[in-house]
Amino acid sequence: MAELEITLAVSTYERGKVLFIFSNDGTNVRTKSVSANRSLGLALDENLDLIMAEKTGISRVKWKLQSPFVIEHWNTENLDIHDIFWCQGSVLAVNTKFNCLTRIDQHKSQEVWRPFFINQKNQFFDTCHLNGMAIKENQPFAITALSDSIMPQGWRQNIIEGGILLDAIENKILLGGLGMPHSPRYKNEKIYFLQSAFGLLSIFDLRNKQLQNIAIGGMLRGLSFYGDYIFIARSQIRKNSSTFSKLPVAHRHFKAGVVVLHRPSKQIVSECIFSDEIEEIFDILPIPKV
């Protein structure tokens, strides 16, 4: 990471921390952290301060100091916020609890988009488990959900193959039959996303409508670009989860960590394995040095 001149922010929500991973010499990896209440999505503001989604709100973190700390918190109550994006003083957030996208600032929260199959009768329950958001030209473009169910917690019924990729502009389903899709990202007329159930990096080419799958292995959530590289987060399987118990046995051989893929060659060039005390990651964000 010293060669790439970045600090890597990682949300480890079951440990109540966001980690900052860096190296000063290219050999020895160092970390620092900030406490967080079930941290999930991560973003950067215009000052390169870290914005993180927590259980009951959005926090801004000064991370460059030896001991990072929260300088601001916007309370939202429990919206089960997943992916977030910072835009012009507000946060665009995947509001998983209410099946919609919500714009949040220090004064209010306002719904800005919901899938076409969600209506006033089912909007107040987590039916489809909306979780990921790809941004194009500062607007939501592609959205992932674990289902198109309209029943409370209905997404749990077909967790392995019920996932969908949505076009947020035309509000339609682009792909179905996906295995727990997460972390969609847009780049060069392609949508990159992870299929957590299958351990895949998936690339959907919007020009020819072709889907390419690259085997990474393990329970994958969290994807970011930096230059020619793709950073992918891998989690351990939650031992006490009835939902995760349905995932392939092969996932259980992997520990939590970070996989680095060279985007042009689509080859894995590096891996970082975490200690056993870190089991689950949701988001990963490379922060350039300035």
Side-chain angles (χ1 to χ4, degrees):
M1 282 176 289
E3 295 178 1
L4 293 176
E5 296 187 339
I6 61 170
T7 293
L8 202 59
V10 179
S11 57
T12 63
Y13 62 93
E14 98 287 359
R15 287 294 171 187
K17 293 182 182 295
V18 170
L19 299 179
F20 299 93
I21 306 170
F22 59 99
S23 176
N24 293 329
D25 58 13
T27 301
N28 299 299
V29 174
R30 301 176 61 191
T31 64
K32 53 188 178 181
S33 66
V34 63
S35 295
N37 183 2
R38 192 179 177 272
S39 61
L40 291 175
L42 303 174
L44 292 176
D45 70 8
E46 59 276 0
N47 299 315
L48 295 187
D49 289 335
L50 184 77
I51 308 299
M52 63 182 184
E54 295 188 271
K55 184 175 182 180
T56 58
I58 301 293
S59 290
R60 187 197 304 264
V61 176
K62 286 289 184 186
W63 63 271
K64 297 177 187 177
L65 306 177
Q66 184 173 356
S67 298
F69 64 96
V70 174
I71 60 172
E72 188 176 17
H73 180 79
W74 301 344
N75 183 50
T76 61
E77 301 183 349
N78 184 11
L79 301 180
D80 196 17
I81 295 170
H82 281 55
D83 270 6
I84 60 173
F85 175 72
W86 177 266
C87 183
Q88 299 178 340
S90 65
V91 170
L92 188 61
V94 178
N95 181 340
T96 303
K97 184 175 183 179
F98 295 143
N99 309 290
C100 67
L101 301 185
T102 298
R103 189 171 293 280
I104 301 167
D105 61 27
Q106 58 185 322
H107 304 294
K108 65 182 183 302
S109 301
Q110 181 180 7
E111 178 184 320
V112 295
W113 181 89
R114 72 173 74 162
F116 65 90
F117 51 85
I118 299 296
N119 56 39
Q120 293 182 349
K121 294 181 180 179
N122 53 34
Q123 65 177 317
F124 299 117
F125 306 95
D126 177 7
T127 67
C128 63
H129 208 68
L130 217 66
N131 60 48
M133 172 177 58
I135 299 295
K136 178 182 179 182
E137 297 175 353
N138 289 331
Q139 297 295 326
F141 178 60
I143 312 296
T144 49
L146 300 193
S147 171
D148 59 356
S149 172
I150 60 173
M151 302 299 295
Q153 300 296 307
W155 58 272
R156 297 183 184 275
Q157 300 305 310
N158 186 17
I159 191 69
I160 300 299
E161 297 181 322
I164 58 174
L165 178 68
L166 289 146
D167 179 329
I169 296 175
E170 298 189 15
N171 206 344
K172 66 180 184 180
I173 294 176
L174 291 173
L175 295 172
L178 304 175
M180 293 181 67
H182 280 86
S183 311
R185 307 291 183 253
Y186 170 81
K187 195 172 188 67
N188 299 336
E189 290 303 305
K190 295 179 181 179
I191 302 170
Y192 294 72
F193 63 97
L194 302 173
Q195 294 198 58
S196 305
F198 303 140
L200 298 175
L201 167 63
S202 296
I203 307 170
F204 182 59
D205 192 318
L206 293 163
R207 291 162 294 199
N208 59 25
K209 309 304 181 185
Q210 296 296 307
L211 180 67
Q212 179 184 11
N213 293 317
I214 301 171
I216 304 295
M219 169 71 178
L220 307 176
R221 282 179 307 194
L223 185 157
S224 286
F225 300 109
Y226 187 82
D228 283 338
Y229 297 92
I230 303 174
F231 289 79
I232 298 170
R234 179 191 283 144
S235 295
Q236 289 190 40
I237 296 296
R238 198 180 306 161
K239 297 180 178 64
N240 60 352
S241 170
S242 59
T243 299
F244 283 14
S245 67
K246 300 174 184 177
L247 299 182
V249 174
H251 281 1
R252 306 182 192 284
H253 302 313
F254 292 96
K255 291 186 175 182
V258 177
V259 176
V260 184
L261 187 102
H262 183 239
R263 185 165 53 87
S265 66
K266 299 183 174 59
Q267 298 297 311
I268 294 174
V269 295
S270 182
E271 292 190 49
C272 177
I273 309 301
F274 292 169
S275 64
D276 288 338
E277 66 181 34
I278 297 175
E279 297 177 349
E280 288 194 53
I281 304 168
F282 181 79
D283 206 0
I284 184 169
L285 185 64
I287 308 174
K289 289 185 178 180
V290 293

